[in-house]
């Protein structure tokens, strides 16, 4: 089928670089004579059009994407509530249940005269993209997430910006921790993977890094802080991933709404309280949370976002479908969505960054 009109959707948590991908897709598609539209808020623009008085689809042309490469967020809007595979619907008896609306989505997509979809998202969005491809839609995925937890790509866009900002915050905490001889615990996002915490901790000279991949013994972390004290280093910086958990313990879950993923967070406070008790030092906690998702993408993230967007359009021009663009330096490659959907990439325990951290004397609480 000859492509004339393509759609872009941005799903899940936003990440710096989304707008750069959108711009690259629109410019590369326009050059080929294709029309582009954006679906509002994930797939809600098609599934819940009544929620959008201006229409659930936004026409995207050269003018509409001018000057957005450096902007955080997404001009299309996003949601982590509208997963068409698990769509929350209120029953007559007042109870929510999850239903699969992907068949309906495919019908509405075709009724809107759309020939192909570029789905920009993390694990959840790429699982949806895979399901839609299996139902016959022409789909190309683009790997987005600050968490960097997608398989088969060296990096996702958004991660570099999150680590750069978290590192700057950690740098700023050194002087106040040192002045007050305190332990400062920095909690960062990342879900069930420790990529953000690990890279931030090493780049930001943390003394202890706690990540989900290495369950921690808080006594070991406290021992590292006491050892520093004995050497006259009477302050410490601890970077904790929101998904970190003690040996034999579990993640701290803030909540789980129907149709949504678990919300993690709170381990930083737990670690700070325990370290205060065990070391006798005053401890404070800083939760960076959604600050990591905001702001302007770094040059690195802008570049990979633009490369991903252009490569996604080239893939459509080559009549590909059911694939994700992936960073494979020095190139961008294509991998089957089947190899990505539903898989999470955690930090390998023997990776060079962990070895480097250990060589620098960082404790992982193990
Ligand atoms: O996946 C990105 C992410 O920012 C995670 O690091 C975090 O756990 C989650 O999204 C938070 O999502 P929400 O937007 O629901 O607060």
């Amino acid at each position: 089928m000859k492509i004339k009109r393509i759609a872009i959707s941005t799903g899940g948590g936003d990440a710096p670089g989304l707008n750069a991908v959108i711009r690259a897709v629109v410019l590369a598609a326009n050059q080929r004579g294709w029309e582009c539209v954006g679906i509002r808020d994930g797939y809600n623009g098609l599934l819940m059009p009544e929620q959008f008085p201006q229409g659930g689809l936004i026409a995207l042309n050269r003018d509409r994407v001018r000057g957005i490469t450096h902007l955080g967020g997404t001009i299309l809007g996003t949601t982590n509530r509208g997963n068409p595979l698990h769509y929350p619907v209120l029953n007559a008896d007042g109870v929510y249940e999850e239903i699969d609306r992907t068949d309906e989505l495919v019908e509405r997509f075709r009724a809107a005269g759309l020939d192909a979809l570029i789905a920009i998202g993390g694990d959840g969005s790429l699982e949806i993209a895979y399901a839609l491809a299996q139902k016959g839609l022409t789909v190309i995925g683009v790997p987005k997430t600050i968490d960097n937890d997608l398989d088969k790509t060296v990096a996702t866009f958004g991660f570099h910006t999150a680590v750069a900002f978290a590192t700057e915050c950690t740098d700023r905490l050194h002087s106040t921790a040192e002045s007050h001889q305190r332990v400062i615990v920095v909690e960062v996002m990342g879900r069930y993977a420790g990529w953000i915490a690990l890279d931030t901790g090493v780049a930001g000279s943390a003394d202890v890094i706690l990540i989900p991949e290495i369950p921690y013994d808080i006594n070991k972390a406290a021992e590292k802080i006491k050892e520093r004290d004995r050497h006259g280093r009477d302050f410490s910086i601890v970077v904790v991933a929101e998904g970190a958990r003690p040996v034999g313990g579990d993640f701290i879950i803030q909540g789980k709404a129907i149709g949504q993923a678990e919300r993690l967070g709170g381990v930083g406070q737990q670690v700070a309280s325990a370290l205060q008790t065990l070391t006798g030092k005053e401890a404070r906690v800083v939760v960076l949370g959604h600050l990591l998702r905001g702001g302007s993408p770094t040059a690195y993230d802008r570049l990979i976002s633009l490369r991903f967007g252009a490569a996604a359009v080239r893939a459509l021009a080559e009549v590909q479908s059911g694939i994700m663009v992936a960073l494979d330096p020095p190139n961008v490659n294509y991998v089957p969505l089947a190899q990505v959907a539903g898989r999470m990439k955690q930090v390998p325990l023997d990776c060079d960054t962990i070895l480097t951290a250990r060589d620098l004397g960082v404790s992982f609480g193990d």
Side-chain angles (χ1 to χ4, degrees):
M1 187 189 60
K2 202 167 173 326
I3 289 177
K4 292 196 205 77
R5 196 165 185 248
I6 67 168
I8 308 173
S9 87
T10 54
D14 67 324
L18 279 167
N19 285 324
V21 180
I22 294 168
R23 178 164 170 268
V25 169
V26 171
L27 296 185
N30 282 185
Q31 284 211 42
R32 288 164 173 81
W34 306 346
E35 201 186 312
C36 272
V37 298
I39 306 172
R40 298 284 305 274
D41 294 2
Y43 296 103
N44 282 347
L46 283 173
L47 291 175
M48 307 287 282
E50 64 283 2
Q51 284 184 354
F52 305 93
Q54 317 281 323
L57 300 179
I58 304 177
L60 296 172
N61 56 23
R62 175 171 284 275
D63 283 342
R64 187 64 190 84
V65 298
R66 178 174 296 142
I68 64 168
T69 300
H70 65 292
L71 299 181
T74 160
I75 59 168
L76 304 180
T78 186
T79 179
N80 42 21
R81 294 187 184 178
N83 185 338
L85 286 165
H86 306 282
Y87 209 90
V89 174
L90 194 57
N91 273 337
D93 51 8
V95 179
Y96 273 99
E97 67 166 328
E98 293 180 5
I99 59 163
D100 182 346
R101 293 187 69 186
T102 47
D103 284 331
E104 197 186 336
L105 180 58
V106 170
E107 264 172 45
R108 290 179 183 219
F109 192 87
R110 295 214 164 106
L114 299 167
D115 303 319
L117 169 70
I118 293 186
I120 314 171
D123 53 352
S125 307
L126 294 172
E127 203 175 341
I128 300 164
Y130 180 50
L132 295 176
Q134 282 182 308
K135 291 186 183 223
L137 283 195
T138 299
V139 184
I140 308 293
V142 176
K144 165 238 67 170
T145 167
I146 64 164
D147 304 337
N148 198 39
D149 59 352
L150 289 181
D151 205 6
K152 307 288 175 207
T153 181
V154 164
T156 55
F157 73 83
F159 171 66
H160 187 265
T161 308
V163 170
F165 181 72
T167 302
E168 187 192 329
C169 294
T170 306
D171 287 348
R172 287 170 183 243
L173 293 168
H174 274 270
S175 55
T176 178
E178 183 163 15
S179 304
H180 288 264
Q181 303 94 49
R182 282 175 172 157
V183 174
I184 297 195
V185 177
V186 189
E187 181 184 308
V188 295
M189 282 186 169
R191 243 188 249 282
Y192 309 105
W195 297 101
I196 298 178
L198 177 64
D199 283 16
T200 299
V202 175
S205 303
D207 307 295
V208 178
I209 301 173
L210 304 180
I211 58 175
E213 293 83 351
I214 308 178
Y216 64 84
D217 173 349
I218 198 68
N219 295 297
K220 299 265 173 62
E223 191 41 53
K224 169 73 189 175
I225 291 165
K226 289 194 267 185
E227 177 204 311
R228 278 174 55 78
D229 263 0
R230 286 194 293 274
H231 289 93
R233 309 291 288 159
D234 53 9
F235 71 101
S236 287
I237 299 288
V238 180
V239 174
V240 184
E242 63 178 2
R245 55 191 169 135
V247 177
D250 220 334
F251 310 112
I252 302 187
I253 295 167
Q254 295 284 320
K256 156 114 181 66
I258 184 118
Q260 290 182 45
E262 287 174 338
R263 257 187 324 113
L264 300 175
V267 64
Q269 184 56 60
Q270 214 172 70
V271 165
S273 305
L275 290 177
Q276 181 159 304
T277 307
L278 291 169
T279 64
K281 300 184 73 65
E282 217 178 9
R284 294 285 187 269
V285 61
V286 175
V287 180
L288 295 181
H290 294 81
L291 288 168
L292 300 185
R293 298 225 303 241
S296 186
T298 58
Y300 179 86
D301 271 340
R302 290 180 203 187
L303 189 59
I304 61 170
S305 300
L306 293 167
R307 291 171 63 199
F308 283 164
V313 171
R314 289 199 300 274
L316 286 180
E318 290 162 11
V319 203
Q320 298 204 59
S321 179
I323 53 152
M324 179 188 84
V325 299
L327 187 66
D328 182 9
N331 297 315
V332 167
N333 267 335
Y334 304 117
V335 294
L337 278 170
Q339 290 181 14
V340 184
R343 294 199 197 175
M344 182 192 28
K345 182 179 70 181
Q346 285 193 303
V347 179
L349 296 185
D350 58 352
C351 77
D352 178 71
T353 313
I354 289 191
L355 300 180
T356 300
R358 292 196 192 278
D359 282 335
L360 295 173
V362 173
S363 164
F364 286 94
D366 61 344

